Amino acid sequence: MARQTFDIEAQALREVRDSLGEAFTAAVGAMLSTRGRVVVMGMGKSGHVGRKIAATLASTGTPAFFVHPGEASHGDLGMVQPGDVVLAISNSGESDEINAVLPALRRLDVTLVGMTGKPQSTLARHADIALLCAVGQEACPLNLAPTASTTAQMALGDALAVALLDARGFRERDFAQSHPGGSLGRKLLMHVRDLMRSGEAVPRVAPGASFSELVHEMTRKGLGATAVVDGPQLLGIFTDGDLRRLIETGADLRALKATEVMHANPRRVRADALAVDAAALMEQHRVNCLLVVDDDDALVGAINTNDLLRAKVI
């Protein structure tokens, strides 16, 4: 029964795909050109599908929201404004709640797109654009419970959203703008300046600093490294890894100065760089810390892997 369900619903999707034509193109055009919103309506299972379609449209660049058709008859129709596009979903095309608001929708001067499986239904006849999503049979063995029909509705809604986002030139950065709390949003919207340590939190010493001053500054700031600067200008970096390697050589560390042990021309990143690019740079060069500089190569901050981990960039 499970495999048969997949077979029936897969066949339903193929049938809807093959039926796409001018009506689909017209629906995309109406939603693309409207200065209003796309208002999605549906009852029962079609309503659940409609909520998902509205959410997908909204998250991919097409302003959309769901209005319950039963509530629309009791005041919520005020959410619909002239110039909007209304996407009404009903497999039978005879939903009492949707049909009850059709006259009011006609008076509102909206573009009505009806998504239905019945081309001769009330919804199809009153719609400006009828999107047909008829299926041969439901996966339900009684051919009653909405199964294949709701799958077809969902896929047709996704097809609308994908066609619209492509027509709008919607890209990853646009997607991130509407998903700031997601992993993609963090990767595409978070910059180094949002996470870096700055001011007194950045370990730094002068070129003539003693080795003990160097280690003390690195330990006190807890970054695992310290910058060597001449005024604001970055000269080099000294890391805890450098410290371990120096100890292994048996050298007299007390006599060393910062300029003698630092690495000149260290890896660095701009404050306006994406945090995800900083993470990639660390991985590429196998370092745990990057110094942040401005356009004049002056030290303005520092960032390490712990900062990126806390922000869930990596």
Side-chain angles (χ1 to χ4, degrees):
M1 288 298 294
R3 292 189 177 92
Q4 184 179 351
T5 298
F6 279 99
D7 291 340
I8 291 172
E9 297 199 1
Q11 178 59 30
L13 293 180
R14 284 190 289 267
E15 291 170 359
V16 174
R17 178 200 61 191
D18 293 342
S19 71
L20 293 181
E22 293 181 2
F24 181 85
T25 304
V28 171
M31 295 178 185
L32 189 63
S33 62
T34 182
R35 294 186 178 181
R37 291 80 44 86
V38 176
V39 183
V40 186
M41 293 184 176
M43 278 298 298
K45 303 300 184 294
S46 294
H48 296 311
V49 171
R51 290 181 188 276
K52 191 274 180 185
I53 291 175
T56 300
L57 289 169
S59 70
T60 52
T62 299
F65 62 94
F66 179 83
V67 172
H68 191 286
E71 299 295 339
S73 295
H74 298 276
D76 281 6
L77 199 61
M79 301 168 70
V80 185
Q81 297 297 309
D84 287 346
V85 175
V86 174
L87 174 61
I89 307 172
S90 171
N91 183 47
S92 68
E94 300 296 344
S95 167
D96 291 338
E97 292 82 358
I98 289 181
N99 289 348
V101 298
L102 289 179
L105 289 174
R106 296 285 68 185
R107 290 193 297 270
L108 277 174
D109 190 28
V110 299
T111 300
L112 178 60
V113 180
M115 184 185 293
T116 179
K118 307 295 182 181
Q120 302 304 319
S121 64
T122 300
L123 177 58
R125 287 186 286 107
H126 284 80
D128 297 299
I129 303 167
L131 282 179
L132 298 182
C133 55
V135 299
Q137 68 178 110
E138 298 286 5
C140 166
L142 303 177
N143 202 34
L144 294 175
T147 45
S149 60
T150 47
T151 298
Q153 291 170 352
M154 187 83 77
L156 189 52
D158 286 344
L160 286 169
V162 171
L164 284 163
L165 74 85
D166 182 70
R168 294 183 192 281
F170 194 84
R171 295 295 176 258
E172 283 186 343
R173 182 167 294 277
D174 302 305
F175 188 86
Q177 292 288 349
S178 57
H179 296 75
S183 60
L184 180 62
R186 287 191 293 271
K187 288 180 179 179
L188 295 182
L189 297 179
M190 197 165 289
H191 293 80
V192 170
R193 63 173 171 267
D194 301 320
L195 304 177
M196 72 181 191
R197 308 171 192 211
S198 59
E200 288 300 314
V202 180
R204 70 188 84 194
V205 297
S210 67
F211 189 79
S212 62
E213 291 173 327
L214 185 71
V215 174
H216 176 71
E217 178 72 356
M218 183 170 64
T219 304
R220 187 167 67 93
K221 300 295 177 65
L223 189 67
T226 185
V228 180
V229 295
D230 184 7
Q233 295 302 306
L234 176 63
L235 300 180
I237 191 172
F238 183 77
T239 69
D240 53 6
D242 296 327
L243 174 59
R244 289 192 297 272
R245 286 184 287 272
L246 272 176
I247 292 173
E248 290 173 355
T249 66
D252 183 4
L253 304 182
R254 295 171 297 177
L256 297 173
K257 300 295 184 183
T259 50
E260 297 177 276
V261 296
M262 73 178 190
H263 284 288
N265 194 31
R267 305 293 175 190
R268 64 199 79 184
V269 68
R270 304 291 186 198
D272 59 357
L274 290 174
V276 68
D277 291 336
L281 191 62
M282 289 183 191
E283 183 177 359
Q284 178 185 352
H285 297 289
R286 297 183 179 180
V287 296
N288 297 322
C289 173
L290 290 174
L291 299 175
V292 185
V293 297
D294 62 17
D295 293 338
D296 297 321
D297 214 35
L299 181 68
V300 295
I303 188 170
N304 69 2
T305 51
N306 287 334
D307 300 323
L308 297 171
L309 284 167
R310 278 193 295 270
K312 298 182 179 180
V313 173
I314 56 177

